Amino acid sequence: MVIKVYIASSTGSVAVKKHQQAVVGFLEANRISFQEVDITMLEEQRLWMYRNIPRDKQPEKGNPLPPQIFNEDRYCGDYEDFFQSKEDNTVFAFLGLSSQPSVKCHLQSHNKLLDPSLCSDCDWIRKMDLNTDSRDV
C-alpha cells in the first residue's frame, strides 16, 4: 500500500503550504513511506484527484484544496481529517495502515515504537542531557 499525498508545489496560499508541510513532515518523522503527487505539474493527476474525492467531501464552490491524502486509490481525507486523526491518535487507522512501524531505539538495546515518549530509557537520557553541563562530564 502506498500513501499518496496530493500537493501543489506552486501555490500562493500560505495555509495550503503549511498544511502540506504538516502532513509530509509527520509522515517523514514517523517513517511512513508515501509518494507526493504534484497536481500543478500533471493535469491528469489533478483531475484524477478531483474525481476520486467523495462528493460529501467536495467544497460547495471551487475545487478541493491540497493536501488530499489517499491510500492507493482509497480516499483517506484532507488536511482537516488528517489533523483530527492526529488529535485522536488514530493516524494509522486514518491512513488505512495496520499499525505503526517499529524501529530500533537509538540505544539499540530494545525495539520501541517511533514515538520517543514511549522509550523510558531515552527519556531518562534526554533529561540527563538537559541537566548536565558539558564540563561535568
Side-chain angles (χ1 to χ4, degrees), residues 112-128:
K112 292 290 179 186
L113 294 178
L114 287 168
D115 183 353
S117 66
L118 297 176
C119 180
S120 59
D121 292 335
C122 295
D123 190 49
W124 179 79
I125 289 171
R126 276 192 301 277
K127 286 178 185 172
M128 292 299 292

Side-chain angles (χ1 to χ4, degrees), residues 98-118:
S98 56
S99 65
Q100 184 173 7
S102 63
V103 296
K104 282 264 190 195
C105 173
H106 73 273
L107 294 175
Q108 297 193 6
S109 61
H110 55 281
N111 283 328
K112 292 290 179 186
L113 294 178
L114 287 168
D115 183 353
S117 66
L118 297 176

Side-chain angles (χ1 to χ4, degrees), residues 28-46:
E28 288 174 344
N30 286 282
R31 298 184 187 175
I32 299 170
S33 62
F34 68 100
Q35 174 185 8
E36 283 185 351
V37 180
D38 187 352
I39 64 170
T40 62
M41 299 304 229
L42 295 170
E43 177 79 7
E44 182 181 313
Q45 294 291 350
R46 184 176 59 81

Side-chain angles (χ1 to χ4, degrees), residues 3-127:
I3 303 301
K4 295 180 183 176
V5 181
Y6 286 77
I7 62 152
S9 62
S10 58
T11 178
S13 169
V14 174
V16 167
K17 286 179 186 176
K18 286 183 178 182
H19 292 169
Q20 291 174 163
Q21 290 171 345
V23 172
V24 168
F26 179 87
L27 296 174
E28 288 174 344
N30 286 282
R31 298 184 187 175
I32 299 170
S33 62
F34 68 100
Q35 174 185 8
E36 283 185 351
V37 180
D38 187 352
I39 64 170
T40 62
M41 299 304 229
L42 295 170
E43 177 79 7
E44 182 181 313
Q45 294 291 350
R46 184 176 59 81
L47 294 174
W48 185 92
M49 181 191 84
Y50 290 159
R51 283 193 306 269
N52 287 281
I53 295 174
R55 288 193 189 271
D56 63 321
K57 294 299 291 180
Q58 298 275 344
E60 289 182 24
K61 295 181 182 177
N63 291 314
L65 296 175
Q68 298 291 331
I69 305 161
F70 289 80
N71 184 332
E72 294 290 342
D73 294 343
R74 185 186 67 80
Y75 183 70
C76 298
D78 60 10
Y79 173 76
E80 297 302 326
D81 298 325
F82 170 78
F83 180 81
Q84 188 59 52
S85 73
K86 274 181 52 178
E87 291 293 308
D88 297 340
N89 202 25
T90 59
V91 174
F92 291 89
F94 165 76
L95 294 172
L97 300 174
S98 56
S99 65
Q100 184 173 7
S102 63
V103 296
K104 282 264 190 195
C105 173
H106 73 273
L107 294 175
Q108 297 193 6
S109 61
H110 55 281
N111 283 328
K112 292 290 179 186
L113 294 178
L114 287 168
D115 183 353
S117 66
L118 297 176
C119 180
S120 59
D121 292 335
C122 295
D123 190 49
W124 179 79
I125 289 171
R126 276 192 301 277
K127 286 178 185 172

